[in-house]
Amino acid sequence: MCHLRSVKRRRKQRAFGGIMSSIIPSMLAFIHLYFDYFLDFLYGLYYNSKKKIVSASKDPILELSATEMARKIREGELKSEEVVLAHINRIKEVNGLLNAVIDERFDAALEEARRVDENIAKGVYAGRDFKQKIFLGVPFTTKGTTVCKGLDVSFGLVPRKGMKGTEDAKVVENMKNSGAILLALTNVPQLSIWSEAHNPVFGITNNPYDTTRNVGGSSGGECSIIAACGSAIGIGTDIGGSIRIPAYMCGLFGHKCSPTVTPTKGLTFRNGSEQDRTMVVAGPISRYCEDLIPGLKAILGADACRSLQLDKKVDIAKLKYYFIEEMPSLLISPVRSDVMKSFRSVVEHFRKMTGKAQELEIEELAYTARLYTKALANEGNDFSYDVTNKKYRAVWYRELFKYIFRCSNLSFSSVMVLINAQVLRKATSEWFEENTEKIKSELLSKLGNDGVLFFVSQPTTAHYHHLSYLRPYNLLYFSLFNLLKFPVTQVPLGLSHDGLPLGVQVVSAPFNDHLCLAVAQELESVFGGYVPPNSQA
Ligand SMILES: CCCCCCCC/C=C\CCCCCCCC(N)=O
């Protein structure tokens, strides 16, 4: 009798537990979603009257892809000098509103462009040279933490204000060897460690689709100026989403490549010795998908690119498609309906094409915040030391105190990074290895060499400035793939009802970059890709 009663009680408890375990998370997600909307509402009250319009570019040269510019220059249809000048004029026109470009070499770039034109006229380049110089005469930009000779190397740190680079980072050198002409340097968060381009040296960069909105980071200045047609193509770097976050916010393409192929010399205090183990990669940012493969070859060098199988033909109808709609974590904002709608239309397109797209559920994704924090610590760079320009080790509470009393050299985002590293519970190495491995092997077993995963880019479209402080973990949608070291292409999917860019991440197993890139091409042709800011205004 007593046994029966206890069985009944246990059954009741289990049923109650089952209901509660599905009701409680749904209730929390509901509260979280409306709290998130409320934050937008509050910020909107402050920002809505401050919005300024970045007018669309009127020069047809600026609408070309970098590949098309290079072809026209090679074939004598355009002069490099007029292409470079068109970009300089555009930067001068929009930079007051965007604050994207922080240093420039306009005169030197024009001089180099004239030399290119003269050499082409003289027939200096033979056929093979032309082929190797993929971007001959095309202007490019790069972010402020990628060292360029003669340009700013403050990395957003006050004690480094005014310092100039003495030699080019290897990726900049590679890009120049492809014939491209360096035009300017663009804004970043301090040391590139945040999802918003804002620092005490250069201030905040604005989004060309809405100047009151976050441009993303860390390659935020880069994406802002490319989206506004002030640069043809850019070099981004990505340790936690730095290529893809701003590419998403600004409606651009960006590719985070497979690991070990990026020469790291000259990337934020790196000397190149970490190439084989780091999560950092470099890659192209562009308005058009066709620039990604030549961009990768130019930035990484053709030899380094061989393992990425960039030229391998892909039959997208024969690939396997998977998707994950939402990160299972209350630290991250719930996905908004407009973002989800465009994500589902992508999945639906490939479901129709192949008859199948399978949803994946990986419980361990709930641990991404702790896993990624540990992975960042494993990088070996000491943020607390680097952020003071190696003068002393910053401690979060002292810096917070100084920040409140306006005597800190740190951005608020840097104080948050210190809190994340110094206060929050640390993962042990075994726990880290075990859980990272579980996620990795689950994905690898599905993706193999012929599978692609669609992953939401962000739960919201570009949010108002500084909201990243209240939604710091939203970037984990991107950082997850740095933790795993999987290649990802960020693909634009047109604009939302309020004129802000939408997009999706296309992921493959390592060294299958060609799969992401082929699917990105299909998405561009079906969903329209990049849409210029304010083209209707
Ligand atoms: C209560 C305080 C919570 C602090 C939360 C801070 C959460 C941020 C976590 C890690 C920050 C690292 C961001 C690194 C990536 C930025 C993009 C990049 N450079 O690829």
Side-chain angles (χ1 to χ4, degrees):
M1 188 68 179
C2 187
H3 170 73
L4 209 64
R5 230 181 284 144
S6 81
V7 169
K8 270 189 188 162
R9 197 172 48 233
R10 245 179 287 142
R11 260 196 217 142
K12 238 193 218 166
Q13 274 169 353
R14 228 177 293 143
F16 182 71
I19 294 168
M20 289 319 274
S21 68
S22 66
I23 289 183
I24 291 177
S26 312
M27 268 171 57
L28 289 176
F30 184 80
I31 295 168
H32 195 174
L33 179 66
Y34 282 91
F35 177 67
D36 225 55
Y37 275 123
F38 181 64
L39 290 179
D40 276 343
F41 170 75
L42 278 187
Y43 274 63
L45 291 181
Y46 174 75
Y47 278 116
N48 277 344
S49 60
K50 297 184 166 32
K51 180 172 167 176
K52 300 210 174 76
I53 302 291
V54 177
S55 58
S57 113
K58 293 186 183 61
D59 188 335
I61 292 178
L62 302 175
E63 285 161 24
L64 300 172
S65 69
T67 307
E68 190 59 4
M69 281 177 207
R71 186 192 65 73
K72 284 182 183 276
I73 292 170
R74 232 175 4 239
E75 292 175 6
E77 287 174 41
L78 277 176
K79 294 265 181 250
S80 171
E81 186 181 358
E82 58 183 316
V83 174
V84 170
L85 191 59
H87 285 91
I88 293 173
N89 289 337
R90 180 65 178 162
I91 291 174
K92 288 181 177 165
E93 186 186 347
V94 296
N95 203 45
L97 287 174
L98 297 179
N99 190 33
V101 167
I102 55 169
D103 203 356
E104 45 88 359
R105 55 189 300 282
F106 293 160
D107 291 340
L110 278 169
E111 191 49 47
E112 287 165 22
R114 276 179 220 118
R115 225 171 310 133
V116 167
D117 292 332
E118 277 164 27
N119 285 341
I120 290 177
K122 282 190 213 151
V124 166
Y125 302 107
R128 203 163 148 266
D129 276 357
F130 256 7
K131 222 176 151 195
Q132 277 167 0
K133 297 215 170 285
I134 325 175
F135 289 125
L136 184 63
V138 174
F140 78 100
T141 41
T142 190
K143 65 194 283 187
T145 44
T146 299
V147 176
C148 298
K149 190 174 174 186
L151 296 183
D152 182 273
V153 284
S154 69
F155 308 155
L157 305 179
V158 176
R160 292 177 67 87
K161 199 171 172 173
M163 285 173 68
K164 299 284 180 182
T166 50
E167 59 176 340
D168 288 332
K170 184 70 180 141
V171 288
V172 173
E173 186 188 315
N174 286 349
M175 191 69 171
K176 286 182 173 176
N177 287 338
S178 80
I181 297 173
L182 179 62
L183 202 55
L185 198 71
T186 53
N187 205 19
V188 286
Q190 288 188 319
L191 295 173
S192 273
I193 301 294
W194 197 250
S195 54
E196 181 150 21
H198 182 206
N199 65 66
V201 180
F202 294 108
I204 196 159
T205 298
N206 297 322
N207 193 312
Y209 290 86
D210 177 342
T211 53
T212 65
R213 302 275 175 161
N214 179 13
V215 74
S218 64
S219 314
E222 201 50 37
C223 290
S224 175
I225 203 65
I226 295 172
C229 299
S231 171
I233 185 165
I235 304 176
T237 55
D238 195 319
I239 194 175
S242 272
I243 291 176
R244 293 160 290 147
I245 303 169
Y248 169 71
M249 305 280 188
C250 296
L252 298 172
F253 287 89
H255 185 75
K256 173 190 114 54
C257 63
S258 292
T260 71
V261 292
T262 298
T264 52
K265 184 180 146 260
L267 308 180
T268 343
F269 291 137
R270 285 164 206 269
N271 58 23
S273 61
E274 55 289 273
Q275 179 169 338
D276 290 338
R277 56 180 167 80
T278 180
M279 298 191 287
V280 174
V281 298
I285 296 169
S286 62
R287 291 186 295 271
Y288 304 100
C289 191
E290 70 167 348
D291 290 336
L292 292 180
I293 291 179
L296 280 163
K297 289 180 179 170
I299 292 166
L300 305 174
D303 290 342
C305 278
R306 247 180 281 285
S307 57
L308 308 184
Q309 313 189 65
L310 298 179
D311 297 321
K312 194 168 169 183
K313 280 244 164 315
V314 179
D315 183 349
I316 52 165
K318 294 211 172 103
L319 297 182
K320 294 180 292 184
Y321 293 95
Y322 301 92
F323 64 99
I324 295 177
E325 286 195 339
E326 199 133 26
M327 291 277 266
S329 167
L330 284 173
L331 294 173
I332 304 174
S333 303
V335 176
R336 295 283 171 87
S337 56
D338 49 353
V339 173
M340 189 57 90
K341 195 170 157 212
S342 83
F343 180 78
R344 287 186 178 151
S345 59
V346 167
V347 173
E348 211 34 52
H349 174 74
F350 287 91
R351 201 198 297 274
K352 274 193 193 133
M353 180 192 287
T354 60
K356 201 171 166 209
Q358 188 190 336
E359 182 163 17
L360 301 181
E361 257 180 65
I362 305 177
E363 268 175 40
E364 289 76 14
L365 291 187
Y367 310 141
T368 307
R370 276 179 79 202
L371 292 171
Y372 179 68
T373 301
K374 176 76 175 167
L376 205 55
N378 289 350
E379 280 285 303
N381 292 63
D382 184 348
F383 180 83
S384 66
Y385 191 46
D386 290 347
V387 81
T388 65
N389 197 30
K390 303 183 192 290
K391 297 252 180 333
Y392 62 95
R393 280 201 166 72
V395 179
W396 74 269
Y397 54 85
R398 280 199 213 115
E399 296 305 325
L400 182 59
F401 186 81
K402 288 202 275 184
Y403 185 86
I404 292 169
F405 290 97
R406 294 181 173 267
C407 51
S408 172
N409 281 334
L410 269 57
S411 300
F412 189 63
S413 59
S414 295
V415 179
M416 287 189 73
V417 174
L418 291 176
I419 296 176
N420 190 56
Q422 296 175 357
V423 180
L424 304 186
R425 199 156 58 100
K426 309 241 170 350
T428 63
S429 297
E430 293 99 69
W431 184 87
F432 169 79
E433 297 296 343
E434 188 189 321
N435 286 289
T436 307
E437 204 40 53
K438 274 190 196 157
I439 303 174
K440 201 181 273 182
S441 53
E442 177 68 26
L443 282 177
L444 285 178
S445 71
K446 296 287 181 199
L447 297 178
N449 290 323
D450 60 352
V452 154
L453 170 74
F454 294 115
F455 207 76
V456 165
S457 295
Q458 279 292 268
T460 68
T461 49
H463 48 66
Y464 290 110
H465 287 311
H466 308 302
L467 251 174
S468 58
Y469 303 143
L470 298 175
R471 297 170 179 162
Y473 289 111
N474 283 5
L475 62 81
L476 296 173
Y477 271 91
F478 297 100
S479 319
L480 169 66
F481 299 105
N482 299 82
L483 167 74
L484 302 174
K485 299 188 176 165
F486 281 24
V488 188
T489 307
Q490 174 58 43
V491 181
L493 298 171
L495 304 182
S496 64
H497 67 280
D498 48 358
L500 294 168
L502 293 161
V504 66
Q505 296 190 84
V506 184
V507 186
S508 75
F511 303 102
N512 283 289
D513 298 55
H514 61 306
L515 303 183
C516 313
L517 293 160
V519 171
Q521 188 74 66
E522 167 75 4
L523 286 171
E524 182 181 43
S525 59
V526 175
F527 292 88
Y530 162 80
V531 178
N534 307 311
S535 38
Q536 257 76 273

